[in-house]
Amino acid sequence: MGSTKRKHGEVAADSEEKGDSGYTSTTPPAPISAECPFSVEYARLSRTLRKKGSNVELDEKGHTVVPRVERTASARTLDTAYIVRPNSLWEATKKYRNFVVGEETFGIDDFVYINHSNIAHGASIAKTDEHQFWIARVLEVKARDQQHVYLRVFWAYWPEELPGGRKEYHGSDELVLSNHMEIVDAMTVTGKAPVSHLIENDEENVIEGLYWRQTYNVLSQKLSSVRRHCICKGYYNPDKMLIGCPNPDCKKWLHKECILADARKRSYDRLVKSEAGETVSTAESEGAGENVSVGDTINVGDTVKAEEEKKAVEEDDDDDDEGPRIRGKRVSPAKQNSKLDQAIWDTQFSADLTTANKDDTPSKLLITDLRGEEPKSWEEDIKCLACQVTIKSGYPLEINFPMLERLHLRTLIYLADQEPLEETVQWAQQKGIQIVHYRVSNVREPFVENDPVAIKEALKLLADSRNFPILLHSNKGKHRVGVLAGCMRKLLQSWSLAAINAEYMRFAGEKGEADLEFIELFEPELEIEEEWKPSWLRR
């Protein structure tokens, strides 16, 4: 099968400057197949010679050779000038769009598994750890005949194969695409590799199987940068979870571990420090903001895999640096106090994400006080660590009362066709909270429609700051509360219909055509008292 692949460090060490010819030639690693007659040289074009058009070389027959440029639309940092040697033989070899190995057809831009000397010839991919294969992206196919088919490829590497090795943000199925170019024999191809491009700025990008998002330039030895997330400015490991804030003014993706760490710290501050008589700021224990704003919440239905960030990083916006760096220790929400305090709250409290029911009810935080012989648990709504507010929710149960008390509510707006639970009524009366119940049902076309009278009356309450803070809820926090929130966004905050529809769909899913139509057409006349108009109202 031929010799094994050389490391990138050796590639960089073999570079030699050719000042007269105007390019840098780098001898690539030895070809995989000993019978492959071609090799690749890299050429770095200078601006001066590019303008003069004098960047030329001679082939083995003395003919002029101009380096070709491989351009990669999905990764411009990989654009590479190169010459294939022997050039005259390569240029004379016929080019094809596809090639066939066994019964499988391959084409340009396909990722392929490459067998090499470490794996027995004919080894099955299904029975072999795919990390043992080399993976390449096909750039060009040429052949003299059926026995002599050659592929010009870019190598994709497992992170541990690169300088610096695997980082905490690298997922188990993650590859790094490089511009390390080589000519290989098509007979070394074992099968197609299911590799996708993970575009981090595309929040709808769902990846299955192998993927790449970073690139490695073998000439500059630079690893491309990775997007930062969360208030900790950490990176995203696709094997783990991120939780998206649907607030259009925020849109932060938050690490699950940062949310859980913040929950443990807040519980410690509220239940331990407060009991000990220590001062705990409202911003630390309850979150910033004067009121609980209706319409800004965490929808845990919108989750993707993400990372647990343990080390700190500094913001670095240079796209041309050598990739992510660890520079000291980051101060995360769970590390604001001393190491001793951190150890205390991490051992005295636990936190996890949970779902209240088996349906699509938004998830909650389940916090457990581990002090004492009998641990006590309660649920809390998930707060965005950036904008610090909670919005619509499912029906509050007794287990939620401790958390709700911290919100200092004045009003509960309840949208449902059932009566409020007696325990909720008694608790609200004890705390001086008014419950305003609008008896509305879920829309069931053509028999049940949204109630315009109830929605209008609820909007009047929302437009009067004397009722604040308000908790707006239904039984599940989805359709009925989504309609009211959408009407509020449109009529009181002047949101666009596109933004309203996007927020509704995050919570309610795809079964809301009638609700969205109602929001669009609903145009009541609202009388708002200027003296008590909320600060967020825009009309």
Side-chain angles (χ1 to χ4, degrees), residues 418-432:
Q418 304 99 346
E419 292 293 329
L421 294 178
E422 183 61 30
E423 61 187 37
T424 303
V425 174
Q426 293 180 0
W427 171 79
Q429 290 175 344
Q430 293 173 1
K431 301 301 177 182

Side-chain angles (χ1 to χ4, degrees), residues 320-528:
D320 295 323
D321 65 8
E322 296 184 9
R325 299 178 179 88
I326 302 299
R327 299 177 181 170
K329 296 184 178 180
R330 178 179 65 255
V331 181
S332 68
K335 298 180 180 178
Q336 299 292 327
N337 293 352
S338 67
K339 293 181 179 179
L340 176 60
D341 278 347
Q342 183 216 340
I344 291 175
W345 70 60
D346 281 347
T347 56
Q348 294 189 358
F349 295 89
S350 68
D352 203 352
L353 297 179
T354 184
T355 301
N357 300 298
K358 294 182 179 181
D359 55 20
D360 294 330
T361 302
S363 296
K364 302 277 187 177
L365 276 170
L366 178 63
I367 303 174
T368 302
D369 186 344
L370 302 175
R371 301 173 298 165
E373 296 181 358
E374 296 184 5
K376 298 179 180 180
S377 298
W378 64 93
E379 287 187 339
E380 295 185 5
D381 283 336
I382 301 172
K383 284 190 175 184
C384 176
L385 302 181
C387 62
Q388 292 290 342
V389 290
T390 308
I391 52 163
K392 47 193 179 182
S393 70
Y395 196 93
L397 303 175
E398 186 174 0
I399 195 173
N400 307 127
F401 292 164
M403 181 276 295
L404 293 176
E405 290 175 9
R406 295 171 50 211
L407 302 179
H408 307 294
L409 296 171
R410 289 184 183 176
T411 307
L412 290 176
I413 295 180
Y414 178 41
L415 305 170
D417 46 11
Q418 304 99 346
E419 292 293 329
L421 294 178
E422 183 61 30
E423 61 187 37
T424 303
V425 174
Q426 293 180 0
W427 171 79
Q429 290 175 344
Q430 293 173 1
K431 301 301 177 182
I433 301 171
Q434 66 166 332
I435 297 179
V436 183
H437 178 205
Y438 295 106
R439 190 178 292 278
V440 295
S441 301
N442 268 333
V443 172
R444 296 179 181 86
E445 290 187 292
F447 307 106
V448 181
E449 298 179 346
N450 283 295
D451 186 347
V453 175
I455 298 298
K456 180 179 179 179
E457 291 301 313
L459 287 173
K460 290 181 180 178
L461 289 178
L462 292 171
D464 190 333
S465 60
R466 289 173 293 183
N467 299 313
F468 286 10
I470 296 175
L471 176 66
L472 168 62
H473 74 94
S474 57
N475 288 333
K476 296 181 180 180
K478 294 168 62 178
H479 300 97
R480 284 170 284 198
V481 76
V483 170
L484 178 54
C487 292
M488 178 198 71
R489 296 300 198 191
K490 172 189 171 185
L491 299 169
L492 303 184
Q493 293 184 285
S494 300
W495 277 27
S496 68
L497 287 174
I500 293 169
N501 292 353
E503 183 184 56
Y504 177 93
M505 297 298 284
R506 283 182 179 272
F507 292 100
E510 299 180 356
K511 299 179 180 180
E513 293 85 356
D515 289 342
L516 295 175
E517 182 180 359
F518 177 85
I519 295 171
E520 181 178 359
L521 300 177
F522 188 52
E523 295 285 352
E525 293 185 6
L526 294 175
E527 296 181 2
I528 299 175

Side-chain angles (χ1 to χ4, degrees), residues 230-232 258-259 261-262 265 331-336 345 385:
C230 196
I231 63 170
C232 70
C258 288
I259 290 176
D262 178 72
K265 179 185 181 299
V331 181
S332 68
K335 298 180 180 178
Q336 299 292 327
W345 70 60
L385 302 181

Side-chain angles (χ1 to χ4, degrees), residues 1 7 37 45 52 74 79 97 102 122 132 154 177 183 228 246 256 267 277 310 346 348 364 371 407 410 495 503:
M1 290 294 293
K7 302 296 182 183
L45 301 177
K52 293 180 179 179
S74 57
D79 289 356
R97 295 181 179 178
Q132 296 184 38
F154 271 166
L177 184 62
I183 310 297
R228 299 175 188 268
K256 172 185 174 182
S267 298
K310 293 184 178 179
D346 281 347
Q348 294 189 358
K364 302 277 187 177
R371 301 173 298 165
L407 302 179
R410 289 184 183 176
W495 277 27
E503 183 184 56

Side-chain angles (χ1 to χ4, degrees), residues 8 71-80 109-112 135-139 153-159 162 170 174-181 195-198 211-218 222-224:
H8 284 301
R71 302 194 184 278
T72 306
S74 57
R76 297 307 301 271
T77 57
L78 299 185
D79 289 356
T80 306
D109 287 333
D110 280 350
F111 283 84
V112 294
I135 297 177
R137 186 177 191 172
V138 178
L139 305 174
V153 301
F154 271 166
W155 289 113
Y157 282 91
W158 301 107
L162 296 175
H170 284 134
E174 183 162 359
L175 295 160
V176 177
L177 184 62
S178 79
N179 61 348
H180 178 188
M181 188 184 297
V195 180
S196 303
H197 184 191
L198 173 58
Y211 60 90
W212 67 273
R213 55 176 167 166
Q214 278 186 293
T215 59
Y216 181 74
N217 189 307
V218 297
K222 288 185 177 180
L223 192 65
S224 65

